[in-house]
Amino acid sequence: MVNRKSVLAVCSAAIIVLVMTAPGNAWVNASRTNHLTFSAPVALPGVTLARGTYIFELANPTSLDVVRVLSRDRSKIHFMGLTTQIQRPAGMPADRMVSLGEAPAGTPPPIMAWYQLGNSTGNKFIYGTK
């Protein structure tokens, strides 16, 4: 005969493990953070990023419209702004994470959209009209 206290202890332990691991896994999957390295300067609305590595992430994993761009060591926020959700263009490789726009000679090209690694959707940056 199975001891009732043993069954209760095993079930309680299983529930505790599930509760403790679920929030961590949800945060990792929802954060959608990517490290991007640029070999030349690029632009975002209101800011130019020098060549180097940056962290692109959703500012709030429950809202897919606010993107934050940080220094590699997370010590500086270079950009935080609203974006629009868009579909990855057909034929765009799943490992390509940005699309660049055109720029006048001598100025950095603007990042038009960031596509989280492997996702079919991305975030289109909103540039002001002149």
Side-chain angles (χ1 to χ4, degrees):
M1 182 124 284
V2 177
N3 183 340
R4 187 174 177 172
K5 286 184 181 181
S6 296
V7 171
L8 184 59
V10 169
C11 290
S12 296
I15 290 171
I16 290 170
V17 168
L18 288 173
V19 169
M20 289 177 66
T21 59
N25 288 337
W27 177 258
V28 169
N29 292 335
S31 70
R32 298 194 184 161
T33 297
N34 294 137
H35 290 75
L36 283 81
T37 301
F38 299 99
S39 60
V42 292
L44 284 169
V47 66
T48 298
L49 302 176
R51 58 179 243 147
T53 301
Y54 298 88
I55 298 171
F56 280 61
E57 67 183 8
L58 296 175
N60 178 356
T62 60
S63 170
L64 302 177
D65 293 333
V66 180
V67 171
R68 179 173 43 214
V69 178
L70 304 137
S71 60
R72 182 181 208 160
D73 64 0
R74 293 187 170 273
S75 65
K76 181 177 181 184
I77 298 174
H78 292 279
F79 172 83
M80 186 159 60
L82 289 173
T83 62
T84 304
Q85 291 291 296
I86 58 170
Q87 289 293 317
R88 181 182 291 273
M92 181 182 211
D95 63 347
R96 184 172 301 156
M97 293 189 278
V98 295
S99 62
L100 299 175
E102 294 182 18
T107 61
I111 298 174
M112 301 307 295
W114 164 52
Y115 301 94
Q116 299 86 16
L117 186 61
N119 280 2
S120 62
T121 59
N123 297 78
K124 181 180 178 185
F125 293 97
I126 301 170
Y127 288 86
T129 58
K130 292 183 180 182

